[in-house]
Amino acid sequence: IFNSIMGAKNSKDIRKQILLLGLPGSGKTHYLYETYSYSLNLKDRNTKGFNYEEKDTAAGKVGIWDVGGNKMMRQFWPCFYQNVRFSGVLFMIDISSEAAIKKIDKNEKLLTFLIHEEELKDLPFAILFNHQDLAMDQLYCIVFPPTVHSFFKHLNLLIDKKAN
């Protein structure tokens, strides 16, 4: 996923920065630390601020910023992307329950807002769909810049098919 949103192999001397966002409980922190094979007990723990980790990838060193998704922390998201030069955005969406699926509209509004922000509008976005029954390496991922509206229209059709 990191290579997809960062493009082709870049100089290993330059540290790329990835912004990891999503609503609370979507699995951002679990995803971040699962990539490091840390065994942390993250059940029912929402990030109160942010987490930062660095990872060596085929594309070079990557800094991953996992920023809390609660209402208060969302007010601070611009502080991160206005002050850190990001190479891409990972947006995590929880699809593990009916309650989570009901938040699709909120996810759509957040993504629409984010892709129109001046500092982010030219960056690649990867949307990760988290389902608690799947291992982290089985997450469904879409890398885009298609319009968010057409993406969510397609997603809602898939959800409707699944329900019927």
Side-chain angles (χ1 to χ4, degrees):
I1 294 170
F2 299 119
N3 294 340
S4 333
I5 70 169
M6 289 171 40
K9 290 184 181 178
N10 298 308
S11 167
K12 293 192 184 239
D13 297 335
I14 300 171
R15 179 176 300 126
K16 301 296 183 179
Q17 302 294 329
I18 304 295
L19 184 59
L20 177 57
L21 300 174
L23 290 173
S26 60
K28 299 177 299 295
T29 303
H30 183 74
Y31 173 77
L32 174 66
Y33 289 110
E34 185 77 15
T35 13
Y36 292 94
S37 301
Y38 293 160
S39 59
L40 298 174
N41 183 6
L42 298 172
K43 199 107 171 125
D44 300 324
R45 182 186 157 266
N46 285 324
T47 302
K48 302 292 187 249
F50 71 95
N51 298 296
Y52 178 82
E53 294 292 338
E54 289 185 350
K55 181 172 180 64
D56 287 316
T57 70
K61 193 172 273 264
V62 178
I64 306 158
W65 298 77
D66 160 29
V67 184
N70 64 45
K71 188 174 182 176
M72 192 267 306
M73 279 306 297
R74 287 195 304 266
Q75 296 174 32
F76 291 100
W77 286 2
C79 295
F80 287 87
Y81 56 76
Q82 290 170 355
N83 292 291
V84 177
R85 187 172 174 200
F86 288 102
S87 302
V89 179
L90 296 176
F91 192 87
M92 183 78 70
I93 298 176
D94 179 19
I95 57 168
S96 63
S97 67
E98 286 295 318
I101 290 173
K102 289 180 182 178
K103 294 179 185 175
I104 291 295
D105 288 344
K106 195 172 204 173
N107 283 294
E108 180 180 9
K109 286 177 186 167
L110 282 174
L111 262 171
T112 300
F113 171 78
L114 289 169
I115 66 167
H116 289 97
E117 285 288 86
E118 187 63 33
E119 298 84 359
L120 303 177
K121 69 180 183 180
D122 295 324
L123 297 182
F125 276 69
I127 302 174
L128 302 171
F129 296 93
N130 182 19
H131 195 292
Q132 294 171 358
D133 296 339
L134 298 175
M136 282 295 161
D137 61 352
Q138 295 176 320
L139 288 178
Y140 183 64
C141 174
I142 296 176
V143 178
F144 73 97
T147 68
V148 172
H149 178 72
S150 65
F151 164 75
F152 276 96
K153 184 177 178 184
H154 180 69
L155 177 62
N156 283 324
L157 290 173
L158 289 175
I159 290 169
D160 289 343
K161 284 182 184 177
K162 183 181 171 187
N164 294 330

